[in-house]
Amino acid sequence: MNIVLDLLWLLITIIYSYLESLVKVFIPRTRKSVAGEIVLITGAGHGIGRLTAYEFAKRKSRLVLWDINKVKKEVGDVSIVVNNAGAIYPADLLSTTDEEITKTFEVNVLGHFWITKALLPSMMKRNHGHIVTVASVCGHGGIPYLIPYCSSKFAAVGFHRTLTLELEALGKTGIKTSCLCPVFVNTGFTKNPSTRLWPVLETDEVARSLIDGILTNKKMIFVPSYLNISLTLVRFLPERALAALNHIQNVQFEAVVGHKTKMK
């Protein structure tokens, strides 16, 4: 009898969720305020991280900027622009221990949006915060000659989904989670990328989408947004159809195979 009731509740939940999603298409989502919140951004010295810092600064967040590359001057440039946003703490992530992290934030870690292992317990204690995982569309489907990259992004997506489930199981509803999954971004990581069906994105577009997703508590942030639909459809395609779709997609970029650089 219990399984019947559970299945009935599941059906009701599915119908309600679809109706809620349909309503949200026509009604703009409420955006939360991040003014005064502490925002920790790793990789803040360049690319998406740097532009994300600018976007949070516009919203008067308190920024903690880290980068594994020693680009203190660039991080400093950010602090000059956002000096009205609150405290700025440039730091080298590689030289910072968990103990140092904990000491830095032991007074107030109420508003962190970027997470490290050392900060999660404090966020859980306050039941407040937002954890953002940066992944890629490659975390949902592989691309030839990018095995290490795709594998790491699959791991990132898995981390996001598992952490989300664990926080829900623990009743930590005040801690939100988001996962950024863009297509190719023009950051220089891949050389001369091109596809027939996907655009090659600029970092400012991705940063704006990321901020919008965080402020509306969006779980999975696809850029462009229609990727969500295409990835759902792909799950229902047979293997031969997927191979044909990949052929049409014709993803190309410069890859190093052995000791030679080739277009793939």
PDB file of all heavy atoms in Angstrom, residues 145-146 254-264:
ATOM      1  N   TYR A 145      39.173  13.265 -28.508  1.00  0.00           N
ATOM      2  CA  TYR A 145      40.464  13.917 -28.273  1.00  0.00           C
ATOM      3  C   TYR A 145      40.450  14.864 -27.067  1.00  0.00           C
ATOM      4  O   TYR A 145      41.377  15.633 -26.873  1.00  0.00           O
ATOM      5  CB  TYR A 145      40.940  14.670 -29.516  1.00  0.00           C
ATOM      6  CG  TYR A 145      40.984  13.798 -30.743  1.00  0.00           C
ATOM      7  CD1 TYR A 145      39.985  13.892 -31.715  1.00  0.00           C
ATOM      8  CD2 TYR A 145      41.980  12.851 -30.916  1.00  0.00           C
ATOM      9  CE1 TYR A 145      39.996  13.072 -32.839  1.00  0.00           C
ATOM     10  CE2 TYR A 145      41.996  12.029 -32.031  1.00  0.00           C
ATOM     11  CZ  TYR A 145      41.007  12.142 -32.981  1.00  0.00           C
ATOM     12  OH  TYR A 145      41.029  11.325 -34.081  1.00  0.00           O
ATOM     13  N   LEU A 146      39.366  14.805 -26.277  1.00  0.00           N
ATOM     14  CA  LEU A 146      39.303  15.606 -25.049  1.00  0.00           C
ATOM     15  C   LEU A 146      38.976  14.711 -23.852  1.00  0.00           C
ATOM     16  O   LEU A 146      38.198  15.095 -22.978  1.00  0.00           O
ATOM     17  CB  LEU A 146      38.251  16.719 -25.181  1.00  0.00           C
ATOM     18  CG  LEU A 146      38.603  17.917 -26.051  1.00  0.00           C
ATOM     19  CD1 LEU A 146      37.442  18.906 -26.086  1.00  0.00           C
ATOM     20  CD2 LEU A 146      39.865  18.612 -25.557  1.00  0.00           C
ATOM     21  N   GLU A 254      41.889  22.618 -32.704  1.00  0.00           N
ATOM     22  CA  GLU A 254      43.258  22.140 -32.829  1.00  0.00           C
ATOM     23  C   GLU A 254      43.594  21.267 -31.634  1.00  0.00           C
ATOM     24  O   GLU A 254      43.476  21.689 -30.487  1.00  0.00           O
ATOM     25  CB  GLU A 254      44.239  23.315 -32.916  1.00  0.00           C
ATOM     26  CG  GLU A 254      44.167  24.064 -34.223  1.00  0.00           C
ATOM     27  CD  GLU A 254      45.264  25.123 -34.349  1.00  0.00           C
ATOM     28  OE1 GLU A 254      46.248  25.020 -33.586  1.00  0.00           O
ATOM     29  OE2 GLU A 254      45.115  26.027 -35.167  1.00  0.00           O
ATOM     30  N   ALA A 255      43.997  20.026 -31.902  1.00  0.00           N
ATOM     31  CA  ALA A 255      44.352  19.087 -30.844  1.00  0.00           C
ATOM     32  C   ALA A 255      45.736  18.530 -31.081  1.00  0.00           C
ATOM     33  O   ALA A 255      46.136  18.334 -32.229  1.00  0.00           O
ATOM     34  CB  ALA A 255      43.332  17.948 -30.772  1.00  0.00           C
ATOM     35  N   VAL A 256      46.447  18.260 -30.018  1.00  0.00           N
ATOM     36  CA  VAL A 256      47.769  17.663 -30.115  1.00  0.00           C
ATOM     37  C   VAL A 256      47.613  16.140 -30.020  1.00  0.00           C
ATOM     38  O   VAL A 256      47.193  15.624 -28.979  1.00  0.00           O
ATOM     39  CB  VAL A 256      48.708  18.181 -29.013  1.00  0.00           C
ATOM     40  CG1 VAL A 256      50.054  17.471 -29.104  1.00  0.00           C
ATOM     41  CG2 VAL A 256      48.874  19.677 -29.121  1.00  0.00           C
ATOM     42  N   VAL A 257      47.926  15.434 -31.101  1.00  0.00           N
ATOM     43  CA  VAL A 257      47.864  13.981 -31.137  1.00  0.00           C
ATOM     44  C   VAL A 257      49.271  13.474 -31.349  1.00  0.00           C
ATOM     45  O   VAL A 257      49.867  13.702 -32.405  1.00  0.00           O
ATOM     46  CB  VAL A 257      46.929  13.481 -32.267  1.00  0.00           C
ATOM     47  CG1 VAL A 257      46.878  11.960 -32.277  1.00  0.00           C
ATOM     48  CG2 VAL A 257      45.544  14.087 -32.099  1.00  0.00           C
ATOM     49  N   GLY A 258      49.838  12.786 -30.358  1.00  0.00           N
ATOM     50  CA  GLY A 258      51.248  12.425 -30.420  1.00  0.00           C
ATOM     51  C   GLY A 258      52.091  13.679 -30.288  1.00  0.00           C
ATOM     52  O   GLY A 258      52.028  14.386 -29.286  1.00  0.00           O
ATOM     53  N   HIS A 259      52.846  14.008 -31.325  1.00  0.00           N
ATOM     54  CA  HIS A 259      53.667  15.224 -31.300  1.00  0.00           C
ATOM     55  C   HIS A 259      53.221  16.200 -32.383  1.00  0.00           C
ATOM     56  O   HIS A 259      53.902  17.170 -32.652  1.00  0.00           O
ATOM     57  CB  HIS A 259      55.145  14.871 -31.511  1.00  0.00           C
ATOM     58  CG  HIS A 259      55.696  13.989 -30.435  1.00  0.00           C
ATOM     59  ND1 HIS A 259      55.976  14.458 -29.168  1.00  0.00           N
ATOM     60  CD2 HIS A 259      55.987  12.651 -30.419  1.00  0.00           C
ATOM     61  CE1 HIS A 259      56.445  13.454 -28.420  1.00  0.00           C
ATOM     62  NE2 HIS A 259      56.455  12.358 -29.166  1.00  0.00           N
ATOM     63  N   LYS A 260      52.060  15.930 -32.996  1.00  0.00           N
ATOM     64  CA  LYS A 260      51.599  16.767 -34.084  1.00  0.00           C
ATOM     65  C   LYS A 260      50.291  17.455 -33.716  1.00  0.00           C
ATOM     66  O   LYS A 260      49.457  16.896 -33.034  1.00  0.00           O
ATOM     67  CB  LYS A 260      51.394  15.929 -35.360  1.00  0.00           C
ATOM     68  CG  LYS A 260      52.686  15.278 -35.867  1.00  0.00           C
ATOM     69  CD  LYS A 260      52.401  14.486 -37.125  1.00  0.00           C
ATOM     70  CE  LYS A 260      53.673  13.842 -37.679  1.00  0.00           C
ATOM     71  NZ  LYS A 260      53.412  13.047 -38.902  1.00  0.00           N
ATOM     72  N   THR A 261      50.165  18.680 -34.193  1.00  0.00           N
ATOM     73  CA  THR A 261      48.928  19.420 -33.977  1.00  0.00           C
ATOM     74  C   THR A 261      48.045  19.270 -35.207  1.00  0.00           C
ATOM     75  O   THR A 261      48.470  19.559 -36.320  1.00  0.00           O
ATOM     76  CB  THR A 261      49.212  20.916 -33.729  1.00  0.00           C
ATOM     77  OG1 THR A 261      50.048  21.027 -32.572  1.00  0.00           O
ATOM     78  CG2 THR A 261      47.927  21.683 -33.511  1.00  0.00           C
ATOM     79  N   LYS A 262      46.815  18.811 -34.978  1.00  0.00           N
ATOM     80  CA  LYS A 262      45.889  18.586 -36.078  1.00  0.00           C
ATOM     81  C   LYS A 262      44.541  19.222 -35.772  1.00  0.00           C
ATOM     82  O   LYS A 262      44.167  19.419 -34.627  1.00  0.00           O
ATOM     83  CB  LYS A 262      45.696  17.080 -36.320  1.00  0.00           C
ATOM     84  CG  LYS A 262      46.977  16.339 -36.680  1.00  0.00           C
ATOM     85  CD  LYS A 262      46.676  14.861 -36.913  1.00  0.00           C
ATOM     86  CE  LYS A 262      47.939  14.095 -37.295  1.00  0.00           C
ATOM     87  NZ  LYS A 262      47.647  12.652 -37.517  1.00  0.00           N
ATOM     88  N   MET A 263      43.808  19.509 -36.826  1.00  0.00           N
ATOM     89  CA  MET A 263      42.438  19.957 -36.672  1.00  0.00           C
ATOM     90  C   MET A 263      41.559  18.720 -36.527  1.00  0.00           C
ATOM     91  O   MET A 263      41.630  17.803 -37.333  1.00  0.00           O
ATOM     92  CB  MET A 263      41.988  20.770 -37.877  1.00  0.00           C
ATOM     93  CG  MET A 263      42.525  22.166 -37.899  1.00  0.00           C
ATOM     94  SD  MET A 263      41.955  23.180 -36.514  1.00  0.00           S
ATOM     95  CE  MET A 263      40.200  23.243 -36.845  1.00  0.00           C
ATOM     96  N   LYS A 264      40.729  18.708 -35.453  1.00  0.00           N
ATOM     97  CA  LYS A 264      39.848  17.573 -35.205  1.00  0.00           C
ATOM     98  C   LYS A 264      38.411  18.048 -35.189  1.00  0.00           C
ATOM     99  O   LYS A 264      38.114  19.128 -34.747  1.00  0.00           O
ATOM    100  CB  LYS A 264      40.218  16.902 -33.873  1.00  0.00           C
ATOM    101  CG  LYS A 264      41.622  16.303 -33.866  1.00  0.00           C
ATOM    102  CD  LYS A 264      41.758  15.209 -34.905  1.00  0.00           C
ATOM    103  CE  LYS A 264      43.181  14.698 -34.975  1.00  0.00           C
ATOM    104  NZ  LYS A 264      43.368  13.735 -36.063  1.00  0.00           N
TER     105      LYS A 264
END
